[in-house]
Amino acid sequence: MTESAVYLQPAFILQHRPYRESSVLLDVLTRDFGIVTVLAKGVRKQKSKMAGLLLPFSLLQLSYLDKNELKTLIQAETVTRYPLQRLALYCGFYVNELVQKFLHKHDPHPRLFFCYQHCLQDLSQHECVEQTLRYFELALLEESGYGAQLDVEQQEGRAIETGRRYAFLADVGMVGASDGLVSGETLLALSAKMPLKGAALPEAKQLLRKMLDVHLQGRPLKSREVLAKIVKYL
Protein backbone atom coordinates (compact mmCIF):
# COMPACT_ATOMS: atom_id res chain seq x y z
CA MET A 1 0.00 0.00 0.00
CA THR A 2 1.22 3.50 -0.82
CA GLU A 3 2.45 5.43 2.18
CA SER A 4 0.58 8.67 2.84
CA ALA A 5 0.92 11.37 5.46
CA VAL A 6 -1.46 13.25 7.74
CA TYR A 7 -0.34 16.72 8.80
CA LEU A 8 -1.29 18.81 11.84
CA GLN A 9 -4.31 16.73 12.78
CA PRO A 10 -6.05 17.95 15.98
CA ALA A 11 -5.86 15.12 18.50
CA PHE A 12 -6.00 14.08 22.15
CA ILE A 13 -4.04 11.18 23.64
CA LEU A 14 -6.38 8.66 25.26
CA GLN A 15 -3.84 6.03 26.30
CA HIS A 16 -0.19 5.17 25.85
CA ARG A 17 1.80 2.00 26.38
CA PRO A 18 5.49 1.11 26.05
CA TYR A 19 6.65 -0.46 22.80
CA ARG A 20 10.00 -2.22 22.58
CA GLU A 21 12.91 -0.52 24.31
CA SER A 22 12.37 3.18 23.66
CA SER A 23 9.09 3.72 21.83
CA VAL A 24 5.45 4.22 22.77
CA LEU A 25 2.16 3.25 21.16
CA LEU A 26 -0.40 6.04 21.46
CA ASP A 27 -4.16 5.61 21.15
CA VAL A 28 -5.32 9.06 20.06
CA LEU A 29 -8.71 10.62 19.40
CA THR A 30 -8.40 12.65 16.21
CA ARG A 31 -10.91 15.12 14.86
CA ASP A 32 -11.12 13.76 11.32
CA PHE A 33 -10.10 10.09 11.59
CA GLY A 34 -11.54 8.94 14.92
CA ILE A 35 -9.39 6.81 17.22
CA VAL A 36 -6.08 5.75 15.68
CA THR A 37 -2.97 4.08 17.07
CA VAL A 38 0.28 5.90 16.40
CA LEU A 39 3.82 4.69 17.01
CA ALA A 40 6.07 7.32 18.60
CA LYS A 41 9.59 6.07 18.02
CA GLY A 42 12.35 6.74 20.53
CA VAL A 43 10.33 9.04 22.80
CA ARG A 44 11.36 7.16 25.94
CA LYS A 45 14.98 8.12 25.39
CA GLN A 46 16.32 10.80 27.74
CA LYS A 47 17.19 13.15 24.89
CA SER A 48 13.78 12.92 23.22
CA LYS A 49 12.32 16.39 22.62
CA MET A 50 8.88 15.04 21.86
CA ALA A 51 8.24 13.07 25.06
CA GLY A 52 7.21 16.12 27.07
CA LEU A 53 4.56 16.99 24.51
CA LEU A 54 2.82 13.62 24.37
CA LEU A 55 0.62 14.09 27.42
CA PRO A 56 -3.05 13.32 27.99
CA PHE A 57 -5.56 16.16 28.34
CA SER A 58 -3.69 18.38 25.89
CA LEU A 59 -4.97 19.44 22.50
CA LEU A 60 -2.20 18.50 20.08
CA GLN A 61 -1.54 18.77 16.39
CA LEU A 62 -0.04 15.50 15.22
CA SER A 63 1.61 14.69 11.92
CA TYR A 64 2.18 11.04 11.05
CA LEU A 65 2.91 8.65 8.23
CA ASP A 66 0.03 6.32 7.45
CA LYS A 67 0.71 2.87 6.04
CA ASN A 68 -1.75 0.04 6.65
CA GLU A 69 -2.56 -0.15 10.38
CA LEU A 70 0.83 1.21 11.41
CA LYS A 71 1.01 4.98 11.74
CA THR A 72 4.31 6.55 12.68
CA LEU A 73 4.50 9.90 14.42
CA ILE A 74 6.75 12.47 12.77
CA GLN A 75 5.78 15.69 14.56
CA ALA A 76 3.75 16.91 17.57
CA GLU A 77 2.78 20.40 18.64
CA THR A 78 0.88 21.47 21.73
CA VAL A 79 -2.07 23.78 21.11
CA THR A 80 -3.73 23.92 24.54
CA ARG A 81 -3.15 22.15 27.84
CA TYR A 82 -6.04 21.37 30.16
CA PRO A 83 -4.44 20.96 33.60
CA LEU A 84 -6.61 18.46 35.46
CA GLN A 85 -5.95 18.03 39.16
CA ARG A 86 -7.29 15.83 41.93
CA LEU A 87 -10.90 14.86 41.20
CA ALA A 88 -10.86 16.38 37.71
CA LEU A 89 -7.86 14.21 36.79
CA TYR A 90 -9.67 10.99 37.72
CA CYS A 91 -12.73 12.20 35.83
CA GLY A 92 -10.52 12.77 32.80
CA PHE A 93 -9.33 9.15 32.91
CA TYR A 94 -12.96 8.05 33.21
CA VAL A 95 -13.93 10.04 30.12
CA ASN A 96 -10.98 8.61 28.18
CA GLU A 97 -11.97 5.06 29.07
CA LEU A 98 -15.57 5.67 28.06
CA VAL A 99 -14.50 6.98 24.66
CA GLN A 100 -12.38 3.89 24.06
CA LYS A 101 -15.20 1.56 25.09
CA PHE A 102 -17.86 3.16 22.90
CA LEU A 103 -16.09 4.26 19.73
CA HIS A 104 -14.72 2.03 17.00
CA LYS A 105 -11.29 2.77 15.61
CA HIS A 106 -11.11 4.86 12.44
CA ASP A 107 -14.71 6.03 12.89
CA PRO A 108 -14.64 9.85 12.97
CA HIS A 109 -16.97 11.84 15.23
CA PRO A 110 -16.03 15.53 14.82
CA ARG A 111 -18.90 16.72 17.01
CA LEU A 112 -17.89 14.40 19.84
CA PHE A 113 -14.28 15.56 19.47
CA PHE A 114 -15.39 19.10 20.32
CA CYS A 115 -17.65 17.80 23.13
CA TYR A 116 -14.61 16.03 24.56
CA GLN A 117 -12.56 19.24 24.35
CA HIS A 118 -15.36 21.21 26.03
CA CYS A 119 -15.57 18.57 28.77
CA LEU A 120 -11.84 18.89 29.52
CA GLN A 121 -12.12 22.66 29.55
CA ASP A 122 -14.94 22.56 32.10
CA LEU A 123 -13.11 20.02 34.26
CA SER A 124 -9.94 22.11 34.21
CA GLN A 125 -11.91 25.19 35.27
CA HIS A 126 -13.63 23.29 38.10
CA GLU A 127 -17.08 23.71 36.59
CA CYS A 128 -19.86 21.51 38.01
CA VAL A 129 -18.24 18.09 37.72
CA GLU A 130 -21.46 16.10 37.83
CA GLN A 131 -23.17 18.17 35.16
CA THR A 132 -20.06 18.13 32.96
CA LEU A 133 -19.85 14.34 33.10
CA ARG A 134 -23.56 13.82 32.51
CA TYR A 135 -23.64 15.91 29.37
CA PHE A 136 -20.52 14.26 27.98
CA GLU A 137 -22.00 10.82 28.66
CA LEU A 138 -25.17 11.90 26.88
CA ALA A 139 -23.21 13.20 23.87
CA LEU A 140 -21.20 9.98 23.72
CA LEU A 141 -24.35 7.86 23.70
CA GLU A 142 -25.93 9.99 20.99
CA GLU A 143 -22.82 10.04 18.78
CA SER A 144 -22.20 6.30 19.09
CA GLY A 145 -25.79 5.49 18.11
CA TYR A 146 -27.10 4.58 21.56
CA GLY A 147 -28.99 7.77 22.38
CA ALA A 148 -32.58 7.80 23.58
CA GLN A 149 -35.29 10.38 22.95
CA LEU A 150 -35.64 12.08 26.31
CA ASP A 151 -38.62 14.33 25.59
CA VAL A 152 -41.07 11.63 24.42
CA GLU A 153 -42.67 8.74 26.30
CA GLN A 154 -42.17 5.83 23.92
CA GLN A 155 -45.07 3.51 24.78
CA GLU A 156 -47.73 6.20 24.63
CA GLY A 157 -45.96 8.36 22.09
CA ARG A 158 -46.64 11.60 23.93
CA ALA A 159 -44.45 14.35 25.27
CA ILE A 160 -42.72 13.91 28.62
CA GLU A 161 -44.66 15.72 31.33
CA THR A 162 -43.51 17.46 34.46
CA GLY A 163 -45.04 15.94 37.56
CA ARG A 164 -44.70 12.39 36.22
CA ARG A 165 -41.94 9.82 36.68
CA TYR A 166 -40.28 7.65 34.08
CA ALA A 167 -38.12 4.56 33.72
CA PHE A 168 -35.60 3.65 31.03
CA LEU A 169 -36.06 0.37 29.16
CA ALA A 170 -33.33 -0.92 26.88
CA ASP A 171 -34.34 -0.99 23.19
CA VAL A 172 -37.46 1.03 24.07
CA GLY A 173 -36.50 4.28 25.73
CA MET A 174 -38.34 6.32 28.33
CA VAL A 175 -41.63 4.90 29.60
CA GLY A 176 -44.03 6.15 32.25
CA ALA A 177 -43.66 4.48 35.65
CA SER A 178 -44.95 5.63 39.02
CA ASP A 179 -41.76 4.35 40.66
CA GLY A 180 -39.48 5.50 37.83
CA LEU A 181 -35.96 6.61 38.65
CA VAL A 182 -36.24 9.98 36.89
CA SER A 183 -38.77 12.81 36.85
CA GLY A 184 -40.20 14.52 33.81
CA GLU A 185 -38.51 17.73 34.92
CA THR A 186 -35.08 16.08 34.82
CA LEU A 187 -35.70 14.51 31.41
CA LEU A 188 -36.78 17.82 29.91
CA ALA A 189 -33.73 19.56 31.40
CA LEU A 190 -31.42 16.91 29.92
CA SER A 191 -33.13 17.07 26.54
CA ALA A 192 -32.77 20.86 26.41
CA LYS A 193 -29.18 20.75 27.79
CA MET A 194 -30.23 23.01 30.66
CA PRO A 195 -28.36 23.39 33.99
CA LEU A 196 -28.98 20.43 36.30
CA LYS A 197 -29.93 21.47 39.80
CA GLY A 198 -31.23 19.84 42.95
CA ALA A 199 -32.75 16.40 42.40
CA ALA A 200 -31.88 16.55 38.69
CA LEU A 201 -28.22 15.77 39.44
CA PRO A 202 -28.67 12.40 41.21
CA GLU A 203 -31.52 11.44 38.87
CA ALA A 204 -29.45 12.18 35.79
CA LYS A 205 -26.59 10.17 37.27
CA GLN A 206 -28.81 7.12 37.77
CA LEU A 207 -30.34 7.42 34.30
CA LEU A 208 -27.03 7.83 32.44
CA ARG A 209 -25.45 5.05 34.49
CA LYS A 210 -28.21 2.68 33.40
CA MET A 211 -28.03 3.76 29.77
CA LEU A 212 -24.25 3.32 29.68
CA ASP A 213 -24.31 -0.04 31.42
CA VAL A 214 -26.80 -1.45 28.92
CA HIS A 215 -24.32 -0.92 26.11
CA LEU A 216 -21.21 -1.78 28.12
CA GLN A 217 -22.74 -5.26 28.44
CA GLY A 218 -21.00 -6.09 31.66
CA ARG A 219 -17.59 -4.73 30.64
CA PRO A 220 -16.15 -3.06 33.76
CA LEU A 221 -14.69 0.45 33.81
CA LYS A 222 -11.46 0.50 35.78
CA SER A 223 -11.65 4.26 36.24
CA ARG A 224 -15.16 3.99 37.65
CA GLU A 225 -13.99 1.50 40.26
CA VAL A 226 -11.19 3.86 41.32
CA LEU A 227 -13.47 6.86 41.49
CA ALA A 228 -16.10 4.96 43.43
CA LYS A 229 -13.60 4.74 46.26
CA ILE A 230 -13.10 8.48 46.22
CA VAL A 231 -16.38 10.15 45.31
CA LYS A 232 -19.94 9.33 44.32
CA TYR A 233 -20.15 11.31 41.10
CA LEU A 234 -19.97 8.29 38.76
Side-chain angles (χ1 to χ4, degrees), residues 145-187:
Y146 299 126
Q149 195 169 6
L150 300 179
D151 58 353
V152 174
E153 199 280 340
Q154 296 300 317
Q155 289 182 328
E156 299 177 11
R158 64 183 188 183
I160 295 294
E161 301 174 9
T162 60
R164 295 188 64 191
R165 299 198 68 80
Y166 297 86
F168 172 75
L169 297 182
D171 300 322
V172 177
M174 305 312 304
V175 297
S178 58
D179 59 347
L181 56 82
V182 60
S183 67
E185 290 88 345
T186 296
L187 288 176

